[in-house]
Amino acid sequence: MKILVVEHERGTGPERFGQWLEEAGAEVVVVRPYLGEAIPVAESGLLGEYAALLVLGGAAGPLEDAANPWFPQVRDLLARSAGGEFPSFNICLGGELLAAAADAPITRRERPQIGIYDLATTSAGDADPVFAALSGTTIPAVLFHQEEMALPEGAELLVTGSDAPVQGFRVGEFAWGTQFHPETDAAQIRRWLGSASLTLPEGKTRESIAEELREADTELVRVGRVLADSFVDYLRTRESRIAG
């Protein structure tokens, strides 16, 4: 099965989450609209040969269309996913684009969240077909965001924690969004910190943030693999059900 991945800028690719999806049995196809590549959807707006959509993160806000002219198309696709046309998994900016497509407010934090934060599933997350695989465990997660989303009306809050409580959610049957990054490691976050002119969270330095990720890496790998495996299992089960 193929998963279509939308990468918004250089340095924000699927990284090891993409590898884990492929190890679970999916084929990951990355499209880079910032390089002029067209998002390959059928005339109907459906995904055609792709089983699901994966929308990645980036430095932009989800409504910054002037600098990112493909954002309206991505939001339209995510609205279709939320409406039940095809599954999607959306990370950080991707989750914010899903929230915006579902008319949820997006606000800018005074200080970003950057580094490792402990999260947990909610009761809805414990029953979710993807996030239930993380039920009953503390979820160490990488956050790197300054925009903050509210929970869309009618959505299920699946993962929460920190003072940005919407960390994982589902709109409709199978449009998932996260604020946290299951793909990121210490090397990638060092690159992001080197290129970002952000006010860091109070008490943190660039080195301390990278050290947080290094220390948590074993658990980050566990969580990322579980999510990748669970998402592919869901897609496989759905395709089998559709095939009859």
Side-chain angles (χ1 to χ4, degrees), residues 51-65:
L53 179 67
L54 172 63
V55 182
L56 298 171
L63 301 176
E64 294 180 9
D65 296 352

Side-chain angles (χ1 to χ4, degrees), residues 110-237:
E110 181 178 346
R111 282 181 178 267
Q113 288 188 312
I114 303 175
I116 297 294
Y117 294 74
D118 286 338
L119 310 178
T121 54
T122 64
S123 58
D126 294 341
D128 182 76
V130 172
F131 282 84
L134 295 174
S135 176
T137 65
T138 298
I139 305 169
V142 180
L143 299 185
F144 198 112
H145 71 106
Q146 189 147 9
E147 308 296 329
E148 183 174 333
M149 54 192 166
L151 186 68
E153 184 175 355
E156 295 277 4
L157 179 64
L158 307 177
V159 179
T160 192
S162 81
D163 65 346
V166 181
Q167 291 292 336
F169 65 103
R170 190 188 71 249
V171 185
E173 183 182 359
F174 41 52
W176 286 275
T178 71
Q179 187 69 84
F180 65 92
H181 287 272
E183 83 283 15
T184 302
D185 60 12
Q188 186 179 48
I189 210 165
R190 274 187 176 279
R191 293 193 295 271
W192 290 354
L193 287 168
S195 62
S197 56
L198 292 171
T199 301
L200 297 181
E202 188 172 356
K204 293 192 177 188
T205 66
R206 284 167 167 75
E207 183 53 44
S208 73
I209 290 167
E211 183 61 26
E212 287 179 23
L213 267 76
R214 284 193 294 270
E215 291 179 355
D217 195 62
T218 298
E219 281 296 286
L220 295 178
V221 170
R222 177 188 67 83
V223 169
R225 282 189 184 277
V226 165
L227 278 179
D229 289 349
S230 190
F231 186 55
V232 173
D233 284 346
Y234 173 82
L235 297 179
R236 187 177 292 115
T237 300

